[in-house]
Amino acid sequence: MDLTNRPRRLRTDGVRPLVSETDLRASDLVAPVFVDATADERVPIESMPGHERVPVAESVARVREIAEKGVEAVMVFGVPESKDSEGSRAWADDGVVQRAVSRITDRTDVYVITDVCMCEYTDHGHCGLLEDGAREDPRMTVDNDATLEALGRIAVSHADAGADMVAPSGMMDGMVAAVRAALDAAGHGNLPVMSYAAKYESAFYGPFRDAADGAPAFGDRRHYQMDPANAREATREVRLDVEQGADVLMVKPALPYLDVVAAVRREFDHPVAAYNVSGEYAMLHAAAEKGWLDLEAVAHESLLSIKRAGSDLILTYFAEDVAERL
Ligand code: PBG
């Protein structure tokens, strides 16, 4: 037996940190925040323990709590006071995200990213304007090109409110170009765009749809979000966003799609983000609640794995808990 090579030599306590390949830092993490125009006090989100929807008046306090744990960036989602077929509260100057973002950026130094999408704002819960007849006919879907103009308006309204970065998440073809052009035309040429570039039609978004009240009223999102069966297609999708001017490339969800995170890391030079989504958070909490998993350990290992696969930044509901212990 030839034991010239003994990897265990480098596993003693003294040397392990020296040869560790991946390190997780609080500055890699982005914490999602839900602001709810229909709430006048904080409402816990049952399927996401430790998270809550907060009224606009509490948004600064919520962000300060996150910052105290060492997390310096947030992603803001909004639940509007009312919904309509056009999702018009999504770009209103006095909309829930716009009001919260202007308070947060006025009063804190936290870096504010906004989700640019329509599903929380449309009465049908889809991520854009519907084609005629879509409510009755399952072959019909979201009108891609009509939605682009709305996404541009939403992005500009977030930028005007003070957002530091916008993140279009609707998986419309051409959405990054539309958002980039609208921002540039409105004098926001320096505002970066993080594209939800490879976003899958995933069942792991379940708890988020409770949190942000954005479940589709009929049908599903398979006509615009990616098929979980496809990995090569992700490279094509991401390349299109790069050509359209995306600054940061996101893969979503994270853990079930680490092959895609690794491929995007390999193929492109841009910063890569991964979204460790609501279902990834909820399942670890549920198992921990039963005493089947050590929550702290699996949360840390999950985020470390996402970094090891090649992600530079991670959007995660574990941000506060993990950052606190780093
Ligand atoms: C909006 C959006 C969703 C998520 C982030 N932005 C919902 C969806 O696409 O259905 C999901 C995030 C999560 O599950 O944590 N389109």
Side-chain angles (χ1 to χ4, degrees):
M1 196 169 31
D2 177 10
L3 278 174
T4 313
N5 285 303
R6 289 179 179 271
R8 287 185 56 180
R9 289 176 193 134
L10 297 182
R11 290 185 195 142
T12 61
D13 287 341
V15 75
R16 272 171 68 109
L18 290 171
V19 299
S20 151
E21 298 176 31
T22 310
D23 100 83
L24 184 64
R25 291 167 301 177
S27 60
D28 302 325
L29 307 177
V30 181
V33 169
F34 297 98
V35 187
D36 186 347
T38 70
D40 37 40
E41 55 186 358
R42 295 181 179 221
V43 185
I45 302 165
E46 213 172 311
S47 51
M48 296 168 66
H51 285 271
E52 46 194 15
R53 300 176 176 198
V54 303
V56 172
E58 289 282 313
S59 55
V60 172
R62 175 75 193 104
V63 168
R64 286 197 175 126
E65 288 163 15
I66 292 169
E68 272 160 27
K69 306 270 177 66
V71 179
E72 293 154 24
V74 295
M75 171 79 111
V76 178
F77 294 96
V79 179
E81 46 288 277
S82 62
K83 305 184 190 230
D84 57 34
S85 62
E86 273 82 53
S88 59
R89 295 303 298 167
W91 61 79
D93 287 338
D94 62 347
V96 59
V97 166
Q98 291 80 357
R99 284 189 289 142
V101 165
S102 84
R103 284 172 181 243
I104 296 165
T105 52
D106 275 353
R107 298 179 208 174
T108 77
D109 292 326
V110 170
Y111 193 82
V112 175
I113 310 171
T114 57
D115 182 83
V116 174
C117 194
M118 301 183 74
C119 57
E120 297 99 349
Y121 302 89
T122 52
D123 54 12
H124 46 73
H126 280 284
C127 302
L129 304 170
L130 295 182
E131 291 176 331
D132 286 341
R135 286 175 199 261
E136 294 77 39
D137 184 347
R139 290 166 305 180
M140 308 294 282
T141 182
V142 169
D143 184 337
N144 190 88
D145 298 8
T147 300
L148 296 179
E149 195 232 341
L151 295 176
R153 284 165 85 172
I154 298 168
V156 169
S157 73
H158 291 177
D160 287 345
D164 296 301
M165 181 187 275
V166 293
S169 73
M171 288 302 281
M172 296 299 127
D173 294 336
M175 72 179 181
V176 172
V179 164
R180 184 72 270 156
L183 290 171
D184 292 352
H188 295 294
N190 284 323
L191 199 90
V193 174
M194 172 161 67
S195 179
Y196 283 72
K199 177 173 176 181
Y200 286 86
E201 201 258 319
S202 171
F204 285 100
Y205 306 150
F208 175 91
R209 292 180 186 172
D210 299 338
D213 193 24
F218 60 89
D220 54 41
R221 307 205 200 288
R222 72 186 188 285
H223 296 304
Y224 40 102
Q225 297 181 347
M226 284 182 62
D227 183 345
N230 295 355
R232 291 189 299 272
E233 187 195 353
T235 308
R236 264 185 77 213
E237 258 290 355
V238 172
R239 182 169 299 119
L240 292 171
D241 287 4
V242 167
E243 288 165 4
Q244 291 169 39
D247 299 287
V248 180
L249 308 172
M250 191 208 294
V251 175
K252 179 185 168 195
L255 293 175
Y257 297 86
L258 291 184
D259 57 330
V260 178
V261 173
V264 173
R265 169 71 300 146
R266 222 171 26 245
E267 301 280 334
F268 302 94
D269 299 331
H270 291 56
V272 177
Y275 199 141
N276 177 228
V277 302
S278 57
E280 299 175 60
Y281 178 81
M283 66 184 174
L284 298 190
H285 265 275
E289 214 167 274
K290 285 188 173 283
W292 294 347
L293 287 174
D294 172 344
L295 187 62
E296 206 174 295
V298 290
H300 187 272
E301 186 177 332
S302 297
L303 301 191
L304 191 66
S305 303
I306 295 166
K307 284 221 73 183
R308 192 194 62 237
S311 191
D312 299 297
L313 54 147
I314 307 174
L315 296 103
T316 177
Y317 303 96
F318 288 117
E320 284 171 273
D321 297 342
V322 169
E324 202 178 12
R325 289 188 304 270
L326 287 172

